[in-house]
Amino acid sequence: CAEQSNICNGLGQDHSILTILPKGEHWQTFCLRDIINPEFIAKCPPGCQDIKYRVYGTDIYASFSSVCGAAVHSGTIDNSGGKILVQKVAGQSGYRGSFSNGIRSLSLPRWRESFIMKIKSKKQQKYPSQIFSLSLLFPVSDCKVDLSFLIDGSWSIGKRRFQIQKQFLSDVAQALDVGIAGPLLGIVQYGDDPSTEFNLKTHANSRDVKNAIEKIPQKGGRSNVGMWHRDHGMWDPRKALSFVNKNFFLDTNGNRGGAPNVAIVLVDGWPTDKVEEASRLARESGINIFFVTIEGADENEKQNVIEPNFVDKAVCRTNGFYSINVPSWFNLRKAVQTLVKRVCDTDRLACSKTCLNSADISFVIDGSSSVGTGNFRTVLQFVANISKEFEISDTDTRIGAVQYTYEQRLEFGFDKHSTKQDVLNAIKRINYWSGGTSTGAAITYASEQLFSKSKPNKRKIMILITDGRSYDDVRGPAMTAQHNGKLVLSSAMVAHSTYIQ
């Protein structure tokens, strides 16, 4: 069951026993093509009928299919598991999907290597003494992500820590089961300047990725200002994140478009400059940023930490999902499974699903007499429906609201409510005001009273909702707001309303 979504399987060093040890133990990977014998025995555990184990083909299966899932599909064993005899065969020009024995296999246009279940009579059946044991370490089915690691290669980290970084990357590549149907991985190393060691399309399986990681030399060098190290070295995470944002996730580098983009930053130290802005720009490009921080500051080092909560300001959510703290470099390998589980939990990779992950949105609502009570409640529902689409927190989207007639009233500011439910409740509590219509003055009021408390790294959006012409000038205040960095949008309730974009 363990070798879904990729050709690579966990095999013993003698190329004849598949060994996937319990969590926390050491294990190594070779690929199916490296098995010398054209036939081998596999011992399947119970439960391989689970839909998370992908199977490709019917009777003849693509080599990155779950071997035990294919055995159940073919009828060789049932869901209780057992021993199977597997034979390697040539790749096919196409694989036909079908439903059999509770498993739906998938179609595939072409693959370079295949296998079949070789069935003998019980009298003829002879099992060799060495058996592939397909016990499950961690299922990574449906883990289709495009992943970039940012590693520190400056001299300040030292050769030993650099090697620990490489071993960690190798373990992650092993656990992810890299492949074209699953996760792809590339690495960016930062020394004096960031550079790509290899991109997403360079290697298509875990074995090749691990070999490439082993060959990565330490760049050395140092940066100007950025990440403070306990060894008095520095590197600049802002520059590295900016490099990844602009240069790594490109179609020419193997970015698949439909797969979430994930950047994992390994951090030994604390920023002397803020990484919030570079992280925001990366998130707005659809990149999910994870920070793996190693070792905390001791009492003597805390004086160098200007922003202890820099991770919360840099990542997409402040619930701990996007950050992992490791107490010691020697414990780094223990974070492998936690990181892999989170990276593969694509339903929670929210940063790849919207480009506005860090915005201050102001609703400027017309409360004049011509709107009417019924229409005003409809407007509030419209505002609530838009707000529901955003992740609301201090580091994500923040919502504020202004109601206006001839005068203006701040209903609630950006710093008032930090959860989605609180914002929705506040919208419901807005009372209809009634009066004249001075839209231009309302835009100026929102700019001065509401956006004056907007964070500098937030995208600023003003949504104006009005039902008719204003008694004052609108274009001038709107142009001023846009000149000051606000995107002003207008939603009109009647056709003759003024639109501003």
Side-chain angles (χ1 to χ4, degrees):
C1 297
E3 72 275 38
Q4 62 273 351
S5 299
N6 194 276
I7 188 173
C8 291
N9 307 293
L11 303 182
Q13 294 188 35
D14 60 359
H15 290 189
S16 60
I17 292 184
L18 185 146
T19 308
I20 300 183
L21 299 173
K23 182 177 179 181
E25 298 291 330
H26 181 65
W27 54 297
Q28 296 191 16
T29 284
F30 294 83
C31 289
L32 184 62
R33 63 174 178 262
D34 290 325
I35 301 175
I36 297 174
N37 297 327
E39 296 180 2
F40 60 93
I41 299 297
K43 183 178 180 181
C44 297
C48 289
Q49 199 177 53
D50 196 306
I51 59 172
K52 63 177 172 281
Y53 305 126
R54 294 292 183 90
V55 176
Y56 296 84
T58 300
D59 297 329
I60 301 177
Y61 301 96
S63 60
F64 61 89
S65 299
S66 164
V67 170
C68 293
V72 176
H73 181 268
S74 68
T76 307
I77 60 172
D78 57 25
N79 201 40
S80 62
K83 295 178 181 178
I84 57 176
L85 179 59
V86 183
Q87 181 179 5
K88 296 192 333 181
V89 296
Q92 305 293 303
S93 59
Y95 297 83
R96 177 177 59 87
S98 65
F99 183 81
S100 178
N101 300 313
I103 289 183
R104 179 168 295 283
S105 66
L106 304 176
S107 298
L108 193 71
R110 179 184 297 273
W111 192 246
R112 60 180 175 266
E113 193 173 16
S114 312
F115 66 86
I116 61 173
M117 300 297 148
K118 190 170 182 181
I119 302 175
K120 297 182 179 180
S121 68
K122 290 188 177 179
K123 288 185 178 180
Q124 293 175 314
Q125 191 79 22
K126 292 183 179 180
Y127 293 112
S129 59
Q130 294 179 320
I131 296 175
F132 294 90
S133 176
L134 300 185
S135 56
L136 185 65
L137 173 72
F138 173 69
V140 291
S141 59
D142 297 326
C143 182
K144 187 176 181 179
V145 295
D146 290 342
L147 178 64
S148 169
F149 268 95
L150 280 70
I151 64 171
D152 182 6
S154 63
W155 293 130
S156 60
I157 198 172
K159 292 183 178 180
R160 187 177 187 184
R161 289 175 186 161
F162 187 74
Q163 289 301 319
I164 293 175
Q165 277 188 118
K166 289 171 57 174
Q167 182 60 55
F168 177 73
L169 298 180
S170 184
D171 291 344
V172 170
Q174 169 73 66
L176 281 171
D177 196 12
V178 173
I180 60 171
L184 294 177
L185 187 152
I187 293 177
V188 171
Q189 183 182 172
Y190 186 83
D192 285 322
D193 292 296
S195 62
T196 301
E197 295 294 337
F198 55 87
N199 61 35
L200 297 168
K201 68 179 182 180
T202 307
H203 304 295
N205 59 70
S206 290
R207 186 191 183 193
D208 290 348
V209 169
K210 291 178 65 173
N211 288 338
I213 291 171
E214 181 62 29
K215 295 175 183 177
I216 294 176
Q218 187 171 2
K219 286 174 61 73
R222 62 182 182 183
S223 71
N224 295 319
V225 179
M227 187 67 71
W228 180 84
H229 277 291
R230 55 183 51 86
D231 294 329
H232 306 293
M234 298 178 181
W235 73 291
D236 190 345
R238 298 170 307 161
K239 195 171 184 180
L241 283 168
S242 179
F243 176 85
V244 168
N245 187 25
K246 295 177 181 178
N247 301 287
F248 188 85
F249 292 106
L250 304 176
D251 293 344
T252 54
N253 290 337
N255 185 43
R256 292 174 288 184
N261 294 158
V262 178
I264 300 175
V265 187
L266 296 181
V267 176
D268 173 37
W270 306 272
T272 56
D273 284 335
K274 296 182 179 180
V275 299
E276 187 175 1
E277 178 68 9
S279 299
R280 179 185 69 83
L281 293 174
R283 294 199 312 269
E284 288 184 356
S285 297
I287 301 173
N288 296 271
I289 301 174
F290 285 78
F291 274 82
V292 178
T293 56
I294 303 134
E295 299 187 13
D298 60 29
E299 290 302 319
N300 294 328
E301 295 167 339
K302 285 182 179 179
Q303 61 183 347
N304 297 289
V305 182
I306 63 169
E307 197 170 33
N309 61 339
F310 79 95
V311 171
D312 286 342
K313 295 185 178 181
V315 298
C316 186
R317 301 286 181 272
T318 56
N319 58 7
F321 179 77
Y322 289 90
S323 59
I324 298 174
N325 180 257
V326 181
S328 167
W329 276 94
F330 301 105
N331 294 326
L332 185 58
R333 295 186 65 187
K334 295 181 179 180
V336 170
Q337 290 302 317
T338 299
L339 180 62
V340 169
K341 288 179 182 179
R342 294 184 186 182
V343 167
C344 291
D345 190 354
T346 54
D347 288 339
R348 296 183 67 180
L349 297 183
C351 288
S352 62
K353 298 178 182 178
T354 173
C355 64
L356 298 177
N357 291 296
S358 185
D360 282 343
I361 301 177
S362 166
F363 290 95
V364 182
I365 305 168
D366 185 350
S368 62
S369 302
S370 57
V371 172
T373 303
N375 287 335
F376 188 77
R377 303 319 300 180
T378 301
V379 169
L380 294 185
Q381 186 59 56
F382 172 72
V383 171
N385 289 341
I386 294 177
S387 300
K388 287 178 183 177
E389 297 301 314
F390 294 88
E391 291 295 333
I392 295 174
S393 74
D394 185 58
T395 56
D396 297 301
T397 295
R398 303 190 304 172
I399 304 291
V402 168
Q403 185 183 175
Y404 74 94
T405 57
Y406 280 131
E407 300 177 283
Q408 306 83 35
R409 182 169 71 198
L410 179 63
E411 299 292 351
F412 56 89
F414 296 131
D415 55 355
K416 183 68 174 178
H417 304 294
S418 58
T419 70
K420 185 178 296 187
Q421 192 56 54
D422 286 347
V423 167
L424 297 179
N425 291 339
I427 293 170
K428 289 180 181 179
R429 291 194 296 266
I430 296 176
N431 294 317
Y432 177 44
W433 201 356
S434 185
T437 308
S438 294
T439 303
I443 293 174
T444 300
Y445 177 87
S447 296
E448 295 176 352
Q449 300 299 319
L450 191 56
F451 284 100
S452 62
K453 296 183 179 180
S454 180
K455 292 186 176 181
N457 66 309
K458 296 281 188 178
R459 180 173 297 194
K460 300 167 181 60
I461 302 173
M462 183 187 299
I463 300 177
L464 173 65
I465 307 173
T466 180
D467 82 327
R469 296 186 183 278
S470 176
Y471 292 106
D472 63 352
D473 174 60
V474 176
R475 186 169 299 276
M479 295 296 290
T480 300
Q482 289 179 323
H483 179 73
N484 291 331
K486 303 172 187 66
L487 176 62
V488 183
L489 307 173
S490 177
S491 176
M493 287 179 274
V494 294
H496 62 269
S497 178
T498 302
Y499 281 82
I500 312 160
Q501 179 108 18

